[in-house]
Structure formats: C-alpha cells, structure tokens
Amino acid sequence: MRKLLTITSAALMAMGALVYSAPSGWAATNLIANPSLETAANATTPASWQSGAWGTNATTFSYLSTGHSGTRSVKVQTTSYTDGDAKWYFAPVTVTPNATYTFSDYYQATVSTRLVVQFTTTGNGTSYVELAPAPATTGSTWGQTTQTVTAPANAQSATVFHLLDKVGTLTIDDASLTSATTPPPPTELVPNPSVEVASAGQPADWASGAWGGNTATFSYLTTGHTGSRSVKATLSNYTSGDAKWYFTPVTVTPGLSYTFSDWYKSDVGTELIAQFTRPDGSLYYQSMAAVAVSSAWTQVTSSVSIPSDVNKLTVFHVLAANGSLTLDDASLTVASGIPANPIPNPSVESASGSVPVSWSTGSWGSNTAAFSYIADGHTGGHSVKVTVSNYTDGDAKWIHQPQPLVPNKQYRFTAWYKTNTQPHVVAQFDHADGTAAYLTLPLPLPAADAATTWQKYSDTFTVPGNAVAVSVFVLLSGNGWVQTDDYGFEQYTPTGFSRPLVSLTFDDGYEDNVTSALPLLQARNFKTTQCFITGNIEGVPGGPENVMAFANTGHEICSHTVTHPFLTTLSAAQLANEATHSQQYLQQLTGQAVPNIASPYGDYDTTVLNQLKLSYRSHRTVDVGYNSKDNFDLSRVRVQNVDLTTTVAEFNSWLDQAEATNTWLVLVYHRIVPAGQGADGDYDTNQAAFASQLDALRDSGLTVKTYNAALDELVPQL
C-alpha cells in the first residue's frame, strides 16, 4: 500500500526580522453589519450576529467587554468535544453570483480553527466553501486571517463561519467582507523600492545581513539601474552561509500570490529566497528561484504563494559564493490570486549554465543515475532527462523548486514525458519544522510509442493542512530513462455527482473481522465490500465460513487475488490465474457475482489493467483521492486508506470533502483489531477507533452503499 512517509531535512537558515507597519490600503465597503460588534442586541448578543453549535460537545458563548478595537468581541469556548463545531457568525449579506469577495477578521485562539463560507443559493438551498484554516495565536496576541472566495453562479447571500471544532477557545472581532472588485491595495509593497531614500547613511526600510563562514561587506552605492542609488554585497573567504540586502518585511494575505522582481548585476550565480513571518514572530524560508550570472543590469522575476499561517514577507536575493551582487528597483505586487502555474521555469527554457534555472536533481539508493539538460522539448527547445542503470534500489529525479500552495485545497499536477520504462509520480509536502511527507500519485500509463511521442500526465492531490510548500517528482525506480517538460500546478475543483456516496471496503479477509467488525456494521446497518485472498480460504478450515458470514448478511464479495502477489512481477499465465481463479472460486462459493477486484498493494501497470478488464467491471486501487465525474476511471478507482494513524479529525475531513464536492469516497480497511488485542501491522484499525469512525459516518448523514451498488448509481451519470 502507498502511504505518507515522514523524513527529516535540514533547516535552511535562521535570521531575525525587523518590524514594519505597512501603509493602509484603499477603503472598501464592508458588507457586514456591526463588524466590530460594538452595537448590542441584548446583554449576551451583538446586533446582527448569532451563535450556533451542533454535534456532541460542551460549548459556551460569550459577548465580551474587551476587543481588538473598541470595547467588544465575541468568544466561543469548548470544554469537551466528540464531534460537530461551534461559532459566532454575522447575518447573511447579499452577494453577486460569480463575484470574488475578501473576508478577514481578527482573532485569538488557543487551537487552530476553521473558516467555512455558507452561501444561500437559488431555491433557498445552501452550499459551503472551506477556506484555509487559521493557526492558533500566542497569549493575548490578536492574529488576522484574510482570504478570498468566489460566489457560486446561483448564490444569493453569504455568511462566514469562523468555527471551533475541538477543545479550546476562539475570540473574534473586526470582521470584514468586501468585494474584491473594489480598488486594490497600493500596487507596490516594497518600501523605498529604488533605495533612493537614505537614513543614517543606509537605504531607508532596508537592512543587510550575513551568516556562516565568510567575509561580507555591504555598500550603498551612488550609481543605480534607475536613479542614483543601489546596494551591493561582496563576499570573500567563503566556506558557508550567505549575504544579502533585503527590504523590511511587509504585510501579506494568506492564499494570495505575489510577484517579486529586482534588477541586479552579479559575477556569480545567486538565489531568491522568501522569508515568511507568522503572527507569533517565528520565521521560515522557501527557495523561489536560482538566478544566473549577469554583468549588465538584468531583471529577475518570480512568484510566491502565501501559506495560511503567514502574515509578513520579505525576499532575500542572496549571495552564497565569493563574488559580488548589486541590486536596485525591487518590486513586490499582488497577483490575481494563485497564478495559473506557480512552478518557476516550468518549461525549463531558462538556463544557468548547463542546468535549468530553479531546478535541481536528486537520487538515493543503489543505482547509477545520469541527468541531462536536453535541447529538445514538448514546447520550446529544452527538457530534462534522467537515466538509471545498475539499479538495485532507490530512485532518481529532476526536482522543481517547492512552491507554497494553499493548505487543504485540491490541485492538479500536469507534466509531459517520454520514456522507455515505467515512471512514478510522487508529491513531496514540506513542513515548517523541516520534515517532509510523501504521497505516491496515480501511476502514469505510457503508451506503446512513449519512447518517441510525448505523453501527458495529469492528476490531482489535496495539500495537507500542515504543508508549507509542495513539489512533485516524475521519478525512476528502475533501469531506463524518462524525459520531462512543461510541469504545472493549478487549483482544481471536481465535477460532482448528484449526491455524495461512501463505500467501505476491506482487504485480505482477516478472520477477526467476522467478530470485530461485522457486529458493529450490522448494528448501524452498513453494508460493505469484502475483498478476499482466496488462497487463505480455499481448503482452509473456517475460511469459507468467514466469507459466507458476510455474504449471507448482504455484504458484497470482492476478489483480492489468490496469493496476494505484486501483480506487475508475474508472467502472463500467473497474472491470468491470480485474476480469474479467485473470481471463479468466490462466485462458486457464494453463488453471487464477483464483478470487482482490488489489487494487492495497489500494484498495477498497463499489462495488469488489461488483464483485469477481461474479467472485472472495475479495479479498486490504493491511489489516494476522491472519485468525481471528471476523473472517474473504472480501471483505477481512488480511495482513502484507513490505518492505525487515522484520527477522527482526518476521517471527518474525508467525509466533509465528499459532502462538499458530491464525490464518491471509498474507504479501505484491513484488519479490525478486537478489543484487548494488539495491532499486527500499520494497516490495522483498533476496534474502538473503528466504532468511532462508523459513528461519525452515521452522524454525517451521508449515504453508504456497497462498492458495486455505488457503481450502479454513478456510472449512468457519466
């Protein structure tokens, strides 16, 4: 099974930040009545506001006599929590369909909180849009969250729930909902961008800094790209670290994209690095672009998306080698939301010597990897290639610079490739603490002419809530070569069905499940799909009885092969036997059709899929995702994998996502561990956790169907 793995990576750097108060922006009409909560409806409630809670929790609501501005605010406190949420929210206001709005509020929170926009739609219906979460604040510090949302085509009014869904407290004040079509903030965010204004012999609102083993000198020059001033950093005796000039950090909005540029001259390669500041003052860093040598004034431009836990930004143009770097005319402006493609140099056309700018290579394990920058591309005149020989283990890949994407949002990744082997696609999610998690995306399926004809790979993923940057690799984990070009990210919204559905599937046919899972399922009237390894049943005492315990109580029976092998390693005859004999045996045993199969370990390729299509209606993978109209593939049904680490919050987030998008959520379980016994593997689920998950599913009100019954409902909608 594919799953997320966590590793530790080295911290980039640490450096203090100066304090800067950004100039105030344009005034925009606030649609919220009583936004600062100063006007009271009564002693316990502000005018034009109300509170609400649902689920199993103990919550109190307070109308306080202190605030961020003025003398009032509202507070929600949850002291015990099983499920549901609690929130204060303003009276719904009229909105324009397809218009974009900016919401913000100031808040204090002891835990991370969620923001959900509720739209009232034509016919008095409702729809919901989940925004990026707001991180916890420190002590009495007020944080601010600012986010944008586009009203659906049938929207009539909206309100925003800043909600609490765990034990903790949340206080809010100074809420704002404005049309994004009102005049934007000042275009230029960099103070003193051309460094013309001096203060005490230095450029005002700029600072210099160096760290590591080197000798750094900083100069404020009387010549410039425009005007009469510029700044210069020079390094000698270099062994480590860097040196840079940088502007005072400026206030930015989470979820938006910003475009940075400056004009520079350098005699060595340099780099752009974003420094993010959280509301609590802590810092972290993101590489934006590698910058080529230039003896004449040259402009470099790159974009950066602001993570949900960030409120300030500066950009370091760093020197990290013996040489010099001169800067002038810096610029930071708001782009229109997330750029169409935030990956820098996505078509690898810009070069720094013999490698593309903003790209690097990586390999590990026992193999021989060779990396090439090719004068041939899907578009333009370049692409990148990796060739692996002498393979024993590990992988090799080209790597684009990680990019901040909006947490909890779905994105589509696209790349074009040529290959003579089977590549894999893996997403890396970087965390603020220096760790990273990895997710294997659905397998590319190269055509027969893939060695000579460009192939398109395109699939989707959800950015985890704790990810600060994302990169996706097209990698090799075997001998051969793959050539890639035209990488891209774009935000993705699935095309839903008429309603959301949930299916529970179980792999391997563990005998414990008859006693540990079946009674819990029957008590809630949930029917599931049980995928059996027939080699563990046929001729085994008690094996057939375990199958029939589920078959006789209305559960679907599914094939999981005969011996649970890696199907891609088998001969044609072995593959055919694994697929057909398991189906034939289960059908003979149960007297029921067995139209679906789940591949062991989620291991498949084109050859495997072609064989399975001969006998089965569909093939269920362990590829992570949700099934929607636009990505539906009977040969590769997507799932969410439940294991020992799955929390109730994560489980509920899957249900919420399916409900919000009208998609089909397929859950994969293995062994349900009886109470009082220990787990045997990572893919087990403890019985108590399983019961809690079933209760959450029941309480969600979502429709639960067997896997095949769900197909019967969904396939006609395609």
Side-chain angles (χ1 to χ4, degrees), residues 421-442:
T421 188
Q422 176 63 67
H424 297 266
V425 179
V426 175
Q428 174 180 304
F429 303 115
D430 294 335
H431 303 149
D433 64 2
T435 62
Y438 296 84
L439 177 67
T440 300
L441 300 188

Side-chain angles (χ1 to χ4, degrees), residues 237-376:
N237 305 313
Y238 182 86
T239 58
S240 63
D242 67 46
K244 61 269 183 184
W245 284 94
Y246 58 99
F247 59 88
T248 303
V250 298
T251 300
V252 289
T253 300
L256 292 186
S257 179
Y258 290 75
T259 300
F260 173 80
S261 68
D262 67 21
W263 288 81
Y264 74 97
K265 294 191 292 185
S266 68
D267 52 14
V268 292
T270 55
E271 184 179 7
L272 296 180
I273 297 174
Q275 176 188 269
F276 298 123
T277 305
R278 300 185 182 93
D280 65 4
S282 61
L283 308 172
Y284 60 98
Y285 301 85
Q286 174 64 52
S287 179
M288 295 172 60
V291 185
V293 174
S294 178
S295 59
W297 284 109
T298 301
Q299 187 179 38
V300 60
T301 301
S302 186
S303 62
V304 60
S305 297
I306 307 303
S308 62
D309 62 344
V310 167
N311 67 346
K312 289 187 177 182
L313 169 73
T314 188
V315 178
F316 300 156
H317 193 158
V318 304
L319 180 67
N322 289 327
S324 64
L325 168 65
T326 305
L327 304 178
D328 196 5
D329 295 330
S331 174
L332 183 71
T333 57
V334 180
S336 56
I338 300 297
N341 182 13
I343 296 176
N345 195 20
S347 298
V348 298
E349 294 301 307
S350 299
S352 177
S354 59
V355 296
V357 171
S358 301
W359 287 75
S360 61
T361 60
S363 64
W364 66 276
S366 180
N367 59 76
T368 303
F371 299 93
S372 308
Y373 186 32
I374 305 295
D376 162 51

Side-chain angles (χ1 to χ4, degrees), residues 666-689:
V666 179
L667 299 168
V668 177
Y669 288 93
H670 287 75
R671 177 184 177 228
I672 306 303
V673 182
Q677 294 187 23
D680 291 333
D682 291 341
Y683 304 121
D684 289 354
T685 300
N686 291 317
Q687 189 179 44

